[in-house]
Amino acid sequence: MTEERIRAVERDGLAFDVIDAGPVDGEPVVLLHGWPERATSWRHVTPILNAAGYRTLAMDRRGFAPRARPRRRRDYRLSLLVDDVVALIDEAGGSAHVVGHDWGAAVAWAVAGLHPDKVRTLTAVSVGHPAAFFKAMVKSDQLRKSWYMAALALPVLPELTIRRWSDWFDLQLLKGGMSREDVARFRREIVDDGALPTSFGCYRGMLLTDPRIVRFRVSAPTTMVWSTGDVALGRWGAAHSAEWVDGPFRLVVLDGVSHWVPTEVPDVLAGAILERVAG
């Protein structure tokens, strides 16, 4: 494991900024954010993990990091998002505990499934195993909840809407449970910083990802955290993720908590992460 702080990871001409905190010799915990957030979404979780002796590595993902914002849809295929994380894990010593929220969870599942030797444990927040998520589209009301994914994959229209009808979009985030502080952070870190167009890359690259790639099994001990107040993701996909995990699996259900788990209940989430990584 490297004895120096990791400030950024470079891969294929792109640079991904990293917030490296906690004891340098602690077991590494890689933290992957979702949309529309950046690595700072873990700011309340990391001090708790650091105090427990773990080193946290929160990375600005592809499309969000200032020096990693390619414009083409094909640059956001799932395999590339996975390789970005593997590059960070290799920099941190070759294996790590991996935690992801929202799109970060989708990528974390894929890292664990496609590179089992890199992942010591997995904690997925909000988004279940990709195969379970897609099956939930026909087995539950997930298709109705996921209408926004198709909307955000459209060219140009999403960024125009968010800029021209900013008050309306901010209100949607507030209705979904995001705090006013984090809505302001979204405006500052995503919109004002120029990341908005490329932040949609994960949605626009979905159609270019071979669906067979998501039918992987996960051997790492896994915790799935899902919250009952999540307006975008139903319980079916979270609960049935166990069918794709060969290692120990635990479903943690947070009653009355919104989609924005890392910032709304960081202490509870940190507790679930620590229980998994320590186990």
Side-chain angles (χ1 to χ4, degrees):
M1 185 183 302
T2 179
E3 298 264 333
E4 299 180 356
R5 290 294 180 192
I6 300 173
R7 302 303 180 192
V9 172
E10 296 185 7
R11 194 182 82 79
D12 286 350
L14 304 176
F16 305 88
D17 295 324
V18 177
I19 302 174
D20 182 350
V24 176
D25 60 348
E27 291 185 46
V29 180
V30 170
L31 301 166
L32 306 174
H33 66 85
W35 188 91
E37 298 180 295
R38 284 172 61 173
T40 55
S41 65
W42 297 103
R43 65 193 181 279
H44 301 310
V45 175
T46 53
I48 303 172
L49 302 183
N50 298 154
Y54 292 93
R55 179 185 188 181
T56 54
L57 300 161
M59 181 178 77
D60 273 345
R61 297 192 307 103
R62 178 179 293 236
F64 300 84
R67 295 174 290 166
R69 295 175 182 173
R71 295 280 178 172
R72 302 175 304 181
R73 285 195 305 160
R74 66 183 184 218
D75 290 325
Y76 292 89
R77 288 168 292 167
L78 182 60
S79 60
L80 298 178
L81 304 181
V82 167
D83 288 346
D84 297 340
V85 179
V86 170
L88 173 57
I89 294 174
D90 286 343
E91 188 75 15
S95 68
H97 304 283
V98 179
V99 181
H101 171 242
D102 188 77
W103 256 102
V107 175
W109 279 107
V111 174
L114 301 175
H115 299 274
D117 58 316
K118 303 291 183 184
V119 180
R120 302 182 189 184
T121 68
L122 169 66
T123 302
V125 188
S126 302
V127 174
H129 187 288
F133 173 79
F134 287 120
K135 193 172 183 179
M137 296 284 194
V138 296
K139 291 289 188 178
S140 69
D141 64 347
Q142 187 58 58
L143 182 60
R144 177 181 60 81
K145 289 177 176 288
S146 298
W147 66 269
Y148 70 94
M149 296 179 68
L152 295 181
L154 293 172
V156 182
L157 184 61
E159 41 265 65
L160 285 178
T161 300
I162 291 174
R163 287 196 177 102
R164 292 186 180 181
W165 291 281
S166 58
D167 291 344
W168 174 84
F169 185 79
D170 290 357
L171 181 60
Q172 306 316 302
L173 292 177
L174 291 168
K175 286 182 176 179
M178 184 178 275
S179 69
R180 292 189 180 277
E181 175 192 357
D182 284 313
V183 170
R185 185 177 291 273
F186 155 70
R187 285 286 162 187
R188 185 169 62 252
E189 293 187 346
I190 305 296
V191 180
D192 296 345
D193 195 58
L196 186 60
T198 53
S199 76
F200 297 118
C202 48
Y203 293 102
R204 291 168 178 165
M206 283 189 305
L207 297 178
L208 301 179
T209 294
D210 187 336
R212 292 172 296 182
I213 197 177
V214 305
R215 299 186 65 80
F216 50 74
R217 302 199 65 80
V218 173
S219 58
T222 300
T223 293
M224 174 73 233
V225 180
W226 176 78
S227 45
T228 62
D230 195 319
V231 298
L233 296 149
R235 180 168 181 150
W236 199 98
H240 286 265
S241 294
E243 299 170 9
W244 296 90
V245 178
D246 297 324
F249 178 87
R250 181 187 180 211
L251 174 64
V252 175
V253 177
L254 306 180
D255 289 325
V257 177
S258 76
H259 174 76
W260 312 103
V261 178
T263 50
E264 185 173 342
V265 287
D267 53 338
V268 177
L269 177 56
I273 296 170
L274 288 172
E275 185 173 347
R276 173 51 66 200
V277 301

